[in-house]
Amino acid sequence: AQEKEKLAQEKVKLVQEKEKLVREKVKLVQEKNQLTMEKNELRAMNNRLSEEKKILENKITAQQHPTITINVGQNAPYCPPGWQLHMSSCYQRSSSTSNWDCASQDCARKESHLVILNDEDEEKLE
């Protein structure tokens, strides 16, 4: 009977220990889930910041390397003084370097358009 009582007490002790371990497991699973959510949020934030970084890098590149060639008009029979004819279009190379917005505004004042150079021949115009 004493052995039986001793085993019963040991069983109660083991059951209590098991319940404690189950509670700890539940708590750890909840913490893991919370960390997983935080990790996913950080990944999404990292993706957004990476996209913003690319946009800003592109803007910086555009400002550091502006196109300075100006196209007055297509199919022009002649070009104004200081302009050069190339493949039916007139071009004027700016004497100054500026960012895209300022160069575009300068072109608008001259009733022309800022262009992107499409081939090596256009790049060689002087």
Side-chain angles (χ1 to χ4, degrees):
Q2 284 181 347
E3 185 69 27
K4 191 176 178 183
E5 180 65 30
K6 188 177 179 183
L7 287 173
Q9 288 175 353
E10 200 172 306
K11 179 182 174 186
V12 168
K13 205 176 193 183
L14 288 172
V15 167
Q16 289 173 345
E17 195 173 314
K18 177 185 173 190
E19 289 171 353
K20 180 182 175 187
L21 290 172
V22 167
R23 285 191 303 272
E24 287 177 7
K25 178 184 173 188
V26 167
K27 185 178 176 182
L28 288 172
V29 168
Q30 289 173 340
E31 288 176 8
K32 177 187 172 205
N33 291 340
Q34 180 66 30
L35 289 172
T36 300
M37 286 177 17
E38 289 175 12
K39 179 177 134 183
N40 291 337
E41 289 172 5
L42 288 171
R43 279 188 178 158
M45 186 183 300
N46 186 36
N47 290 339
R48 282 191 306 274
L49 290 172
S50 294
E51 287 300 315
E52 289 178 25
K53 178 184 174 192
K54 286 178 190 176
I55 291 168
L56 291 172
E57 285 173 343
N58 289 340
K59 287 182 179 181
I60 289 170
T61 300
Q63 289 181 351
Q64 289 175 342
H65 305 290
T67 303
I68 56 172
T69 302
I70 302 169
N71 179 350
V72 169
Q74 301 226 344
N75 302 318
Y78 65 92
C79 297
W83 294 71
Q84 188 174 3
L85 180 65
H86 175 70
M87 296 184 68
S88 302
S89 295
C90 293
Y91 295 84
Q92 179 188 48
R93 185 171 297 274
S94 175
S95 59
S96 64
T97 302
S98 62
N99 65 38
W100 183 270
D101 291 329
C102 291
S104 182
Q105 289 171 6
D106 183 48
C107 290
R109 283 190 294 275
K110 296 176 182 179
E111 297 181 2
S112 61
H113 302 281
L114 190 60
V115 297
I116 296 171
L117 302 176
N118 295 313
D119 59 43
E120 289 181 23
D121 288 339
E122 285 181 319
E123 290 179 26
K124 292 178 185 175
L125 285 174
E126 298 210 45

